[in-house]
Amino acid sequence: MTPTITAFERSPDRGRGLARDMRVRWALEEIGQPYDVRLLSFEAMKQPGHLARNPFGQIPTYEAGSLVLFESGGILMHLAERHPGVLLPTDVDARARAVMWMFAALSTVEPPILEFTMPTIVERDEPWFEQRQPMLEARVRTRLAQLAAHLDGREWLDGAFSAGDLLMISVLQRLRASGLVDAEPSLAAYVARGEARPAYQRAFAAQRAVFEAAGTPG
């Protein structure tokens, strides 16, 4: 059975691989699972058909037979559990640590990054923007320094590449334009290793092709 995921018809990330369907595409490529894509406009995401898949009207969603999932982290957990030894280790303790890093990526590292990056898009003209951003940047720098210290001398977060690394790298990519990741050499090298994986390259090419087909200027 070929699963179907949903993705933006015209992605606001302008083809840079930052939309969250990229995380699911990458995971599917890592496990070697072909998939179909249903492209949605912002209007279609708020219609009953899509709200039945995700009550919050977001992407991605994942459908395989009667199973319908939303939330990229939840979808990755499902895919990883169905393909042991690829995105989650078979060793019980190593698997627990990989799951821990999945949660760390989404619950500890991503929130301050979103707090820092989103105002540059939606609040730049607000009177508090210039005063607030240095505080938000300092929070991100603290998290990055902590993560860099852990990664020093390591190729991946814990042994072999796992779903924890896939999510962590996806989160760090949101800082590309800021230069903050490049300021931590171990993190920059870590992200580069993830982006060099053939599965990532295939996923990125597939998402980029949607953007280019839409004819939106880059």
Side-chain angles (χ1 to χ4, degrees):
M1 179 182 301
T2 301
T4 299
I5 68 170
T6 50
F8 288 118
E9 183 180 78
R10 291 179 178 269
S11 180
D13 76 349
R14 306 183 68 80
R16 293 179 295 162
L18 302 181
R20 286 182 173 85
D21 66 286
M22 178 64 190
R23 304 174 183 186
V24 178
R25 291 175 186 267
W26 186 2
L28 287 164
E29 293 290 351
E30 290 283 355
I31 65 176
Q33 173 63 61
Y35 60 97
D36 294 325
V37 181
R38 181 185 298 112
L39 300 177
L40 298 176
S41 66
F42 285 101
E43 179 61 28
M45 290 166 61
K46 307 306 178 186
Q47 299 305 310
H50 186 65
L51 291 174
R53 293 185 288 267
N54 183 338
F56 305 109
Q58 298 174 318
I59 61 97
T61 59
Y62 171 94
E63 298 170 71
S66 61
L67 176 66
V68 181
L69 300 174
F70 63 91
E71 286 296 331
S72 58
I75 296 169
L76 258 69
M77 178 68 80
H78 169 71
L79 295 174
E81 288 182 331
R82 286 183 59 104
H83 296 82
V86 182
L87 289 175
L88 286 178
T90 55
D91 176 78
V92 174
D93 289 350
R95 180 189 181 279
R97 291 192 298 271
V99 171
M100 171 189 71
W101 280 111
M102 293 176 69
F103 279 90
L106 299 179
S107 300
T108 301
V109 179
E110 187 168 43
I113 288 176
L114 291 177
E115 282 189 307
F116 172 66
T117 57
M118 288 305 294
T120 65
I121 301 171
V122 299
E123 297 177 350
R124 185 174 289 276
D125 296 330
E126 298 293 344
W128 61 78
F129 176 79
E130 294 294 342
Q131 293 181 333
R132 192 165 178 260
Q133 281 304 101
M135 175 193 67
L136 298 178
E137 179 177 328
R139 291 178 180 174
V140 172
R141 286 186 181 276
T142 296
R143 281 287 179 261
L144 295 183
Q146 293 165 334
L147 182 60
H150 173 79
L151 276 167
D152 189 30
R154 291 183 171 92
E155 184 178 18
W156 306 113
L157 291 169
D158 189 273
F161 178 85
S162 75
D165 294 292
L166 191 157
L167 286 174
M168 189 68 76
I169 291 166
S170 299
V171 166
L172 294 175
Q173 287 174 323
R174 292 188 170 276
L175 289 170
R176 182 176 289 127
S178 72
L180 295 181
V181 170
D182 290 336
E184 295 283 358
S186 65
L187 295 187
Y190 172 62
V191 172
R193 285 193 294 275
E195 293 177 342
R197 293 179 68 85
Y200 175 86
Q201 293 291 322
R202 293 191 297 270
F204 181 83
Q207 193 192 56
R208 179 72 186 181
V210 173
F211 171 75
E212 292 176 345
T216 308

